[in-house]
Amino acid sequence: MLLKITDNIKYLGVNDTRDRLFEGQFEVPNGIKYNSYMIIDEKIAIIDTIAEGFTEKWLENVEKELCGREPDYLVVLHMEPDHSFGIYELTKKYPNMKIVSSKKSFDLMKGFFDTDFSQNGIAVGEGQSLCLGKHVLEFINAPMVHWPEVIMAYENTQGILFSADAFGKFGTDNEVEEWADEARRYYFGIVGKYGKQVGAVLKKLSKYEIKKICPLHGTVLEKNLDYYVNLYDTWSSYRYEENGVFIAYNSVYGNTEKAAYMLFDILLNNGIKVKIIDISSSECINAIDSAFRYKYTVFCATTYNNGLFPSMREFVTDLFERCYQNRRVGIIENGSWAPTASKALKNVLNQCENITFFETEVRIFSSLNSDSKSSLASLTNEIICDIKESNIL
Ligand code: FEO
């Protein structure tokens, strides 16, 4: 049975549990949901469509909920193909239906479908509305959350926000993980670069009385909405969630790993919240997620080709691209004859906004010795003092 949002708002979405990478790069071990909705009133509006491979199943859902009627409108909030693949099939099936979307979205449709849907469409934007009878949808521009054409729609009778990609998450109905874990991974993977734009939309949304959020991925949110909105505020402002330490390391022969775990153990024994990831054996997005979650990150990096090991280079570049900022950072570098990992890391991190470095930098020549152990102890003390001080403040 399909999920009911309200008596007159139906869920049409599909779970994708195929074993593949989302957007060609993100592991989704628990799958992903492509959400789509239908509002039934004097007029019927379908909100967004579906990804490739699910059109048939989705059209079955559409037909079932239409109960013999025809849709009057297809509202396209976001033109990315994980939500828009069904546009062509739906317009073929219901040629009298009008597409309602942003002007930019109609431009993108031309690129994807080689068809000018604006001829029989309605372009809408900030503050404009679509009346379906009792239900009225008011549109809110949400550029770069996550593409430039994105709009959201606020429904007046029940206070439902159709939020496009925002407030979405990886995972399907069968997920076991916390909402925040998969939503954070999704947020920083997909829209992390656009914090300013997300913040601007959150500001606009604060004037609406929102009772339910219907995103294009993941769970329909109905309780404790402040929790989700506050997390989005934290993420989009690049504030940390945990006053603790994330240790990201790569290691070729195990010596950098040993130093990373030495730091991890001492911090843990001092009651500090700490997480460690071998970035060569974990998907990069997991490390990105943790770097944004924690106040402190310690990069434990080996020198490679007079620079950074590939996984570390990818990690720090991905952080820079996602506007990593407002964090305090430690560096442990390793190099057998000419360590340059720290310099390479700083080349990137110095381009990020408001990154400060711990004074002690640990330099290892191949494996820990008494000198490097001593500087590791200094770095550890600095981190502990900093955390204790900020806990007192
Ligand atoms: Fe879920 Fe930006 O598409």
Side-chain angles (χ1 to χ4, degrees):
M1 200 175 84
L2 289 171
L3 180 73
K4 192 171 83 173
I5 309 297
T6 71
D7 285 344
N8 296 308
I9 302 180
K10 313 292 179 178
Y11 179 79
L12 308 171
V14 174
N15 287 348
D16 181 355
T17 51
R18 296 173 295 185
D19 184 18
R20 60 180 204 123
L21 298 174
F22 179 67
E23 289 191 355
Q25 60 172 328
F26 302 113
E27 278 178 13
V28 282
N30 298 317
I32 187 158
K33 288 174 76 151
Y34 307 118
N35 297 338
S36 163
Y37 306 92
M38 181 188 290
I39 303 177
I40 300 168
D41 203 324
E42 288 164 31
K43 302 279 186 187
I44 293 181
I46 293 170
I47 300 183
D48 283 295
T49 73
I50 207 74
E52 185 175 14
F54 296 94
T55 314
E56 206 177 317
K57 170 73 188 136
W58 174 75
L59 283 172
E60 266 175 37
N61 294 348
V62 169
E63 210 170 297
K64 185 166 176 264
E65 295 298 355
L66 281 171
C67 297
R69 291 177 66 184
E70 293 213 348
D72 297 277
Y73 303 109
L74 168 63
V75 177
V76 177
L77 299 177
H78 185 17
M79 233 319 286
E80 194 165 6
D82 53 331
H83 311 290
S84 65
F85 199 81
I87 291 177
Y88 198 76
E89 291 297 319
L90 198 71
T91 49
K92 264 203 315 194
K93 195 166 177 184
Y94 302 107
N96 295 324
M97 178 192 72
K98 283 188 185 307
I99 297 181
V100 179
S101 195
S102 65
K103 185 182 173 308
K104 183 78 189 161
S105 187
F106 284 112
D107 294 342
L108 292 179
M109 282 177 217
K110 277 188 211 159
F112 280 105
F113 299 109
D114 197 20
T115 304
D116 186 1
F117 285 108
S118 67
Q119 297 292 319
N120 188 33
I122 303 171
V124 292
E126 189 76 25
Q128 290 180 299
S129 55
L130 178 72
C131 182
L132 305 171
K134 288 194 180 86
H135 300 77
V136 178
L137 291 175
E138 182 181 328
F139 297 102
I140 301 147
N141 289 348
M144 301 320 295
V145 188
H146 128 245
W147 275 16
E149 87 297 358
V150 172
I151 49 175
M152 296 182 182
Y154 178 77
E155 184 277 334
N156 62 324
T157 66
Q158 309 278 329
I160 297 175
L161 176 72
F162 294 95
S163 61
D165 270 344
F167 300 101
K169 66 184 269 298
F170 295 133
T172 65
D173 291 327
N174 306 317
E175 73 267 31
V176 288
E177 75 285 339
E178 291 288 319
W179 182 89
D181 290 339
E182 282 295 60
R184 188 189 305 100
R185 213 164 71 86
Y186 168 88
Y187 176 87
F188 283 109
I190 288 173
V191 286
K193 179 179 175 63
Y194 302 108
K196 271 188 191 151
Q197 289 86 344
V198 174
V201 173
L202 288 179
K203 202 169 164 193
K204 288 196 277 183
L205 293 180
S206 63
K207 72 171 189 184
Y208 293 89
E209 197 182 340
I210 298 169
K211 305 260 178 61
K212 252 182 218 188
I213 299 176
C214 291
L216 288 180
H217 298 290
T219 318
V220 171
L221 307 171
E222 356 192 10
K223 288 182 189 150
N224 200 12
L225 293 187
D226 282 352
Y227 167 74
Y228 305 106
V229 173
N230 287 340
L231 271 179
Y232 254 62
D233 183 45
T234 299
W235 297 340
S236 62
S237 310
Y238 302 99
R239 299 194 307 270
Y240 60 86
E241 290 170 71
E242 305 281 1
N243 189 19
V245 183
F246 170 51
I247 302 169
Y249 75 90
N250 81 276
S251 195
V252 180
Y253 296 111
N255 293 305
T256 314
E257 181 176 55
K258 202 170 167 186
Y261 268 95
M262 201 173 268
L263 174 65
F264 175 81
D265 288 340
I266 299 171
L267 294 175
L268 199 64
N269 289 337
N270 275 273
I272 286 164
K273 215 166 233 186
V274 58
K275 178 164 183 174
I276 187 163
I277 289 183
D278 172 0
I279 58 164
S280 296
S281 63
S282 173
E283 200 198 3
C284 198
I285 183 59
N286 297 329
I288 292 166
D289 167 299
S290 296
F292 281 103
R293 185 174 184 179
Y294 288 85
K295 180 176 180 184
Y296 306 89
T297 291
V298 179
F299 296 82
C300 308
T302 58
T303 301
Y304 191 80
N305 282 341
N306 203 27
L308 288 169
F309 196 73
S311 56
M312 186 61 80
R313 190 172 59 232
E314 184 191 350
F315 171 52
V316 73
T317 306
D318 278 353
L319 288 181
F320 168 67
E321 285 174 358
R322 285 164 175 77
C323 300
Y324 184 65
Q325 56 188 274
N326 307 332
R327 298 294 191 277
R328 193 147 167 77
V329 158
I331 293 177
I332 298 173
E333 70 169 351
N334 195 347
S336 293
W337 61 93
T340 53
S342 171
K343 188 176 164 207
L345 279 169
K346 283 183 162 173
N347 278 346
V348 182
L349 291 168
N350 278 328
Q351 297 174 63
C352 300
E353 229 175 275
N354 194 24
I355 298 293
T356 58
F357 295 88
F358 285 105
E359 206 176 306
T360 309
E361 217 172 85
V362 181
R363 174 172 277 190
I364 301 167
F365 285 94
S366 298
S367 65
L368 280 165
N369 61 16
S370 57
D371 283 349
S372 49
K373 275 182 186 166
S374 162
S375 61
L376 182 58
S378 299
L379 173 65
T380 311
N381 282 338
E382 265 195 74
I383 295 171
I384 293 170
C385 288
D386 209 278
I387 291 178
K388 287 190 173 160
E389 258 174 44
S390 58
N391 275 338
I392 291 166
L393 292 174

